[in-house]
Structure formats: structure tokens, C-alpha cells
Amino acid sequence: MAREWKAKDIGLLLLGTGALIVALVVAHWYFFEVLPRMHAEAGLHAWCSVEGGKAIVQINADEHVKNVSVSIAGKTCQYDEMFAGTEQVCEADVNGTTIFKISYEKGGKRIEESGVCRVFEKSVPTVD
């Protein structure tokens, strides 16, 4: 006694199979793309500002990193290695807002980042 398949049964089967495939794709994306990127953020953190025509890049190490290179306005500061909790400063003369680049090795991978050094000035209110 075989059961006959109706259009409703076939539609529900296809809908369930499609939902399962979408769930597997989303799970794969989350576990293999999103989570590794969230944990990869540790390493170096940088902050930069321009005051009085001098750009100052401050880098802080969260982990042990090697071959650190900071480039700003044509000047390059290099450090063989930085241990967790250490801090370095690189300075360069600039005319205004500029871009800095940082590259370092962490866990056998070369990581490169960049950022913007902005000019911070006092704002003085004017009275009309």
C-alpha cells in the first residue's frame, strides 16, 4: 500500500530542504568567516593625531608580534618585536591630516593596517 505524493507534500519537502540548505550556508559563513575575524583583531592597536605640525602614531601590543613597521609621511619606524603590553611611538613632520600604515607578523601571518592621522585643534566660540 504505497502512499501517493500530492503537490502539497512535494512543496513542503522542497521548502524544508531549501530551509535546511540556507541554514547550513549561514552556519558555515558564521563559523568560518565571522568568528575567526572577531578573534583576529588582537595584535596591535594604533592611535594617531597631528599637533603642531607633528604626527604622532602610538601603537600598543596586545600579543607578541614581530617585524613591526610604521610608515607615516615618508618616515618609517621599525621594531624587531613587541611583547604584550608594550607601547611604541613614531613621530613625523607633516603639513596636516595624513595617512599612516602599520604592518607586522603575528602567528606566521603578515598583517597590514592603515589609518588616518587627523589634526586636532582647539575650537574657540565666537560671539556676534
Side-chain angles (χ1 to χ4, degrees), residues 23-117:
L24 289 174
V25 168
V26 168
H28 180 272
W29 168 75
Y30 182 75
F31 286 110
F32 292 102
E33 294 291 328
V34 174
L35 284 182
R37 288 184 187 173
M38 289 174 63
H39 296 293
E41 292 298 319
L44 282 183
H45 296 285
W47 185 84
C48 182
S49 68
V50 177
E51 295 180 36
K54 187 171 290 267
I56 302 168
V57 179
Q58 178 181 351
I59 53 176
N60 299 316
D62 290 338
E63 297 179 2
H64 180 243
V65 292
K66 295 181 180 181
N67 299 326
V68 179
S69 174
V70 180
S71 300
I72 181 167
K75 182 179 178 187
T76 302
C77 301
Q78 294 188 349
Y79 311 102
D80 293 332
E81 59 185 332
M82 290 179 65
F83 295 98
T86 60
E87 172 181 303
Q88 295 287 348
V89 175
C90 184
E91 296 181 2
D93 293 328
V94 295
N95 292 331
T97 299
T98 187
I99 296 173
F100 69 94
K101 295 180 183 178
I102 298 175
S103 63
Y104 59 93
E105 289 180 14
K106 180 183 98 175
K109 294 174 87 175
R110 189 83 183 155
I111 299 171
E112 296 183 355
E113 301 174 359
S114 63
V116 177
C117 288

Side-chain angles (χ1 to χ4, degrees), residues 10-28:
I10 294 173
L12 287 173
L13 179 65
L14 290 174
L15 185 65
T17 304
L20 181 63
I21 290 171
V22 168
L24 289 174
V25 168
V26 168
H28 180 272

